[in-house]
Amino acid sequence: MSETIEALLEEGRRYPPPEEFTRNANLSDPAVYDRAEKDVEAFWEEWADRLDWFERWHTVLEWNPPYAKWFLGGKINACHNCVDRHAEGARADKVAIINEGEPGDVRTLTYSELRDEVARAANALKELGVGRGDIVCLYMPMIMELAVAMLACARIGAPHTVVFGGFSAESLKERINDTRAKAVITADGGWRRGKVVPLKRTIDEALAQCPSVSRVLVYRRIGDAAEFDAGQWVEGRDVWWHDIVPKQSTDCPCEPMDSEDMLYVLYTSGSTGHPKGIVHTTGGYLVGTSATFHWVFDHKEEDIYWCTADVGWVTGHSYVVYGPLAEGATVVMYEGAPDAPDKDRFWRIVERHKVSILYTAPTAIRTFMKWGDEFPARCDLSSLRLLGTVGEPINPEAWVWYRDHIGGERCPVVDTWWQTETGMILISPLPGITVCKPGSATRPLPGIGAAVCAEDGTVLEGPRGGYLALTQPWPAMLRGIFNDPDRYVEQYWSQFPGKYFTGDGVKRDEEGDLWLLGRVDDVMNVAGHRISTMEVESALVDHPAVAEAAVIGRSHDVKGQAIAAFVLLKSGYSGDHLPKELRAHVAKMIGPIARPDDLYICGDLPKTRSGKIMRRLLRDIAEGRALGDTTTLADPAVVASLRDQYEQTEA
Ligand code: PRX
């Protein structure tokens, strides 16, 4: 970490907003920060007023730490705000979603078509017995029906829980059983690098152990296009989308929801073996995501906006679906991989649809850098006017490459920091105001309070490094962990009482800008995906051959972090096939994203005298660094032999 800080502190490049950009920007007067600070509730109220409410709130905020409620008494529907109000107004014929499939098929929906499709899907859900308060699990490819399904749930007041299509049957089962979802919406499969991701088959496997699910609605994405095993059809449970949705009426009023009614649960990794169901509610979430979309992406009526994140992650919830659609944007959704069929696919999409705002992850940018400048250079990227990044720290080289090679040296680049829990972007430049620095997310947005804290919770002023904490509630903040109120308090509010603990390290520079340094807990960030070391360890010890496992994230030049696992076998087990088998076992238990990059079978693990595994030393070994302090080890010989083993593997 200290090397990262050193490198960042030497970064002296500055990029003020282009004058022309500032002239037209949605936010161009820095006074907005002061205005928000002076009366933060009045400030958020202004942004809430841009939405349609069936009934206005009577109280902006009720803050009983650590529980916040926003816009109390307000009645609102997320689907109405994202769809109907545009369909019934000037945006009726404006394109809402451009959906490019991996095979190259393009489908679009205007706002009025989206309204009708969502209303039909909502009526179909009702026919399947889903009503207000029932939870629906969505396991789908990046096709527009995923957005339609989310909005249909929101329309009838049924909270959704989207599970990323790369998660395994085990992970699905855990999430479905935690929420006791009543129904599932899925597809036969999705396209990824020319192959079919067999979603329905995985659902079938999971549902064998999910008693709460009585109906499964299946969109036919692949059909006869490929020979593949689409799973089994369970009569009475499974129903094709095309058999039930198109025949529905488009008459389906939006359910007036309470501002604090749950909109969705989304699972994310924490520092234990089990993911946490992050709960988001309706009014505040919509205010936070729509306002930040307007400010940070400077969205204008004529923009074509593309966020490359999968809707299975929070970025897709807040900045593919709810934020942009609430603002009436035209949103691009792409189903497949960035190198299918060739490494210029993203740039072909930008060119084809004249994308003007692009939001992607540093890991993708580093991959593009590695692939070479020729791929973007082949395409016309002149439609772009603003670039964004999210999900992990961006190294200055990647930031500058993105600006120069993708943004043609003219587009501002906004590095946006936030989390599944925060629901909305909290730290980011405002592209018409902020002087950008490659590698820095700069400042908290207007209305957001952030502090750099020492380990004991003391707030550190000036240019200092420490832990990032949030000092006041914000509208889209999580309202808790589903089914686990104690964990909510413990995880976020016990480290620094009265403040939200983010789990991230941060450094503030001389000018007051923030440089996010990554997680300080046992959460890894692998290619922008959040994975806990404990989850991978639990998956490993689930294998009959494994006695004990220790997992760490080691630095990786493209993925940010890679997973390294150190495994101790039970006696009687050995064999060269095991590393491969164990890596595959983790992929089966969690999903391919959690498959360890390195797996070492070792004779022992470095432990303190009290039996705690010293992960820091494992990290030193995996990164080939000089070993840190080993004096607290019960048996110092253990690390030496691990180091030898590592060096042999490398050679
Ligand atoms: O460590 C931070 C990192 O991603 C974590 C949140 O992960 P997740 O909940 O999956 O949400 C990702 C998308 C919002 C944070 O705790 N992170 C996210 N954005 C940045 C970042 N680290 C540095 N810079 C960022 N811009």
Side-chain angles (χ1 to χ4, degrees), residues 358 360 365 387-389 398-407 413:
L358 177 68
T360 194
I365 297 167
L387 303 175
T389 77
W399 192 100
V400 172
W401 184 89
Y402 191 34
R403 179 184 179 276
D404 292 354
H405 290 269
I406 307 305
V413 177

Side-chain angles (χ1 to χ4, degrees), residues 537 540-549 567-570 573 582:
E537 288 168 5
L540 283 165
V541 295
D542 176 79
H543 190 282
V546 177
E548 205 175 349
V567 172
L568 221 66
L569 296 180
K570 285 185 191 150
Y573 284 94
L582 294 177

Side-chain angles (χ1 to χ4, degrees), residues 614-649:
M614 290 191 70
R615 289 197 162 68
R616 178 173 56 75
L617 292 177
L618 293 176
R619 218 167 284 132
D620 289 343
I621 292 171
E623 292 179 0
R625 265 200 309 266
L627 291 179
D629 184 9
T630 57
T631 50
T632 52
L633 279 178
D635 178 5
V638 170
V639 275
S641 83
L642 273 178
R643 161 59 64 83
D644 291 348
Q645 192 189 343
Y646 172 80
E647 280 169 359
Q648 274 164 21
T649 331

